[in-house]
Amino acid sequence: MFYREAGEFKTSYAADQAIFPIPQDRWFVLGLVGVAFLVLPWIVNDYWTNSILLPFLVYALAAIGLNILTGYCGQLSLGTGAFLAVGGYSFYKLTTAFPDLNILLAMMLSGGITAGVGMLFGLPSLRIKGFYLAVATLAAQFFIIWLFYKVPWFYNYNATGQITVPPREFLGVLITGPEGVNWAKYLYTLTIVAVMALVAKNLARSAVGRSWMAIRDMDIAAELIGIRPLQAKLSAFGVSSFYIGVAGALMFAVYLGAAESGETFGIQQSFDVLFMIIIGGLGTILGSFLGAGFLVLLPIALELVLVEGLGMHTGFAEQVKFILLGSLIIFFLIVEPHGLARLWQIGKEKLRLWPFPH
């Protein structure tokens, strides 16, 4: 009834190619962004900021990065945790070596360093793909984490091997570490994620994004029509690693405040982000946010139900939570293998035809 395209005419190419061509979509997204920027910072408490909103935003940015590589370009990667570590450790070294360096610039430089490392480990994609490429990126995961653990220079010769973010301000407000101002940490992270998500959406619609999708769908045919696999694959690795590197810097500096290579950026991080894009939907920016929200909020909801609702012991509830979480992921992938973004798309299609049967 209220979600119709009938009577809506496009009079220009720009209007036809808009990210949200339907006014209802556009107003819904603008309202959501308005609430996120103007309402949430002033009503949420410390728990919501540090335990829900910040991890959701950081993992959503990491999922966007992996979705660019796996969802749009079709290159499977299991090295996300390592690239998060490169971003976090790069930010640590930059901020400790250059105390006056702007925190935003340091994060962008950390993303650039991670992009270079990602392109280096993306070179095998020119010869191998699929399962073999996944094994190659898995090797990168173990090698990079081992390097950060064994070379004391990366953690400034700290006896514990841990890195701790120094206090850094942005626009006169403390952002980093547990002492940072919560609303400022949230707004800073939200702004970076929103801008980078918009850039990723437009990049996927550009000539570069179309070349990624051509390589994903059929690389031999893409090469025959003039797309260079070297340029397409390495650009996907570079952009993907840049996004993951910035997410790693945010995870270390704003969300956690301290990190240790093996525990913070282990192989579990790689699997978590991969599950996010599979559950949310491959090849969609929306799917990255939905998948991150699913894997961040579901464990918290299960813990509330099992421990506070049913009165289970914390240790036993933790094991039950893992079982239920894994079962729900398997069930969901069987019911809708294209992810939550596809369910959202189906819902919109039904609204267009309501009340008539589909």
Side-chain angles (χ1 to χ4, degrees), residues 52-280:
I52 296 177
L53 294 177
L54 285 180
F56 164 70
L57 292 172
V58 169
Y59 280 114
L61 185 59
I64 291 173
L66 185 60
N67 224 336
I68 289 174
L69 181 63
T70 302
Y72 285 103
C73 196
Q75 308 301 302
L76 184 59
S77 172
L78 294 177
T80 307
F83 298 136
L84 287 171
V86 173
Y89 275 79
S90 297
F91 181 84
Y92 174 71
K93 292 299 296 183
L94 287 170
T95 51
T96 52
F98 306 100
D100 297 329
L101 185 64
N102 182 273
I103 179 176
L104 181 60
L105 179 58
M107 287 193 173
M108 296 301 109
L109 290 175
S110 301
I113 294 171
T114 312
V117 175
M119 293 175 69
L120 177 64
F121 283 100
L123 289 174
S125 68
L126 306 177
R127 292 291 183 182
I128 57 178
K129 59 183 178 180
F131 172 77
Y132 300 99
L133 179 60
V135 172
T137 55
L138 185 62
Q141 166 76 37
F142 289 117
F143 173 75
I144 291 176
I145 296 302
W146 173 86
L147 190 67
F148 287 145
Y149 179 73
K150 289 295 184 180
V151 180
W153 179 82
F154 288 112
Y155 48 84
N156 286 353
Y157 304 94
N158 188 349
T160 63
Q162 189 181 63
I163 57 174
T164 304
V165 63
R168 291 291 180 270
E169 296 181 352
F170 184 74
L171 299 180
V173 183
L174 184 63
I175 295 293
T176 60
E179 296 81 12
V181 181
N182 285 321
W183 64 264
K185 290 162 60 176
Y186 165 71
L187 283 178
Y188 176 82
T189 307
L190 177 64
T191 303
I192 292 178
V193 173
V195 171
M196 294 185 70
L198 183 61
V199 171
K201 182 66 175 180
N202 284 283
L203 191 61
R205 290 150 35 95
S206 67
V208 175
R210 291 194 293 271
S211 68
W212 292 343
M213 289 181 277
I215 291 292
R216 175 197 64 190
D217 295 337
M218 188 173 293
D219 52 354
I220 296 177
E223 189 173 4
L224 289 176
I225 64 174
I227 295 175
R228 298 178 179 178
L230 171 65
Q231 181 177 346
K233 291 182 179 181
L234 287 187
S235 64
F237 267 96
V239 174
S240 169
S241 301
F242 177 83
Y243 273 69
I244 297 173
V246 174
L250 286 170
M251 178 181 291
F252 161 65
V254 181
Y255 170 37
L256 297 176
E260 199 264 326
S261 61
E263 295 181 3
T264 308
F265 304 109
I267 185 64
Q268 186 62 42
Q269 294 282 14
S270 299
F271 287 119
D272 286 345
V273 179
L274 182 61
F275 291 153
M276 288 175 190
I277 66 170
I278 293 175
I279 293 171

Side-chain angles (χ1 to χ4, degrees), residues 12-85:
S12 65
Y13 181 78
D16 190 55
Q17 292 297 311
I19 296 179
F20 302 106
I22 302 176
Q24 290 89 335
D25 285 343
R26 186 161 56 249
W27 287 111
F28 174 76
V29 173
L30 288 175
L32 199 63
V33 172
V35 170
F37 274 97
L38 302 177
V39 178
L40 285 183
W42 318 115
I43 64 173
V44 295
N45 53 27
D46 295 348
Y47 173 78
W48 270 84
T49 301
N50 296 309
S51 300
I52 296 177
L53 294 177
L54 285 180
F56 164 70
L57 292 172
V58 169
Y59 280 114
L61 185 59
I64 291 173
L66 185 60
N67 224 336
I68 289 174
L69 181 63
T70 302
Y72 285 103
C73 196
Q75 308 301 302
L76 184 59
S77 172
L78 294 177
T80 307
F83 298 136
L84 287 171

